[in-house]
Amino acid sequence: EVQLVESGGGLVQAGGSLRLSCVASGFTFGRYAIGWFRQAPGKEREGVSCISNRHGSTYYTSSVKGRFTISSDNAKNTVYLQMNSLKPEDTAVYYCAALLGCGGDYIGPYFGSWGQGTQVTVSS
């Protein structure tokens, strides 16, 4: 079974930083992409970033470019999302998902199930 476990969320002040982790299991990690999504109260879930573990290509939604960095450690089956210069509008539950592809302006379809997510709260 595809399993992804998010961690690293918390409460920070605007301008602060957090690093989220996504530990994956149940599939061949190096063959697929991993994406980060977020959902704020009253809003649709949106794609934030993704990385192709096979090719290294990445995607960032415009609102986080220059502030967030996605990376992958294949040896640990883990993807990280380094979030700097956090803003209150970044407040959301963050989820990771296994994807069929990633790169450029593209976040591929996900497979598996959504996990519990990790809460990120940025105060003003």
Side-chain angles (χ1 to χ4, degrees):
E1 181 181 356
V2 175
Q3 296 277 359
L4 300 104
V5 180
E6 305 93 340
S7 63
L11 173 64
V12 297
Q13 293 187 356
S17 297
L18 287 171
R19 188 177 75 160
L20 307 184
S21 297
C22 172
V23 180
S25 62
F27 64 99
T28 305
F29 184 79
R31 292 184 59 187
Y32 298 96
I34 300 291
W36 284 99
F37 300 77
R38 66 187 180 187
Q39 188 165 24
K43 295 185 177 180
E44 296 288 331
R45 187 174 298 179
E46 65 170 340
V48 177
S49 182
C50 63
I51 183 168
S52 170
N53 293 325
R54 187 168 185 173
H55 303 292
S57 54
T58 58
Y59 163 82
Y60 300 93
T61 193
S62 295
S63 63
V64 308
K65 283 184 177 179
R67 300 188 298 119
F68 292 10
T69 303
I70 192 168
S71 62
S72 182
D73 186 340
N74 285 358
K76 296 181 178 180
N77 282 13
T78 301
V79 167
Y80 304 95
L81 186 67
Q82 179 67 46
M83 306 187 296
N84 299 326
S85 302
L86 283 162
K87 303 175 180 179
E89 51 262 45
D90 296 317
T91 295
V93 178
Y94 284 70
Y95 303 87
C96 61
L99 309 175
L100 297 181
C102 168
D105 61 353
Y106 173 69
I107 297 181
Y110 69 88
F111 61 94
S113 300
W114 296 105
Q116 294 287 87
T118 185
Q119 176 71 50
V120 172
T121 302
V122 184
S123 62
S124 300

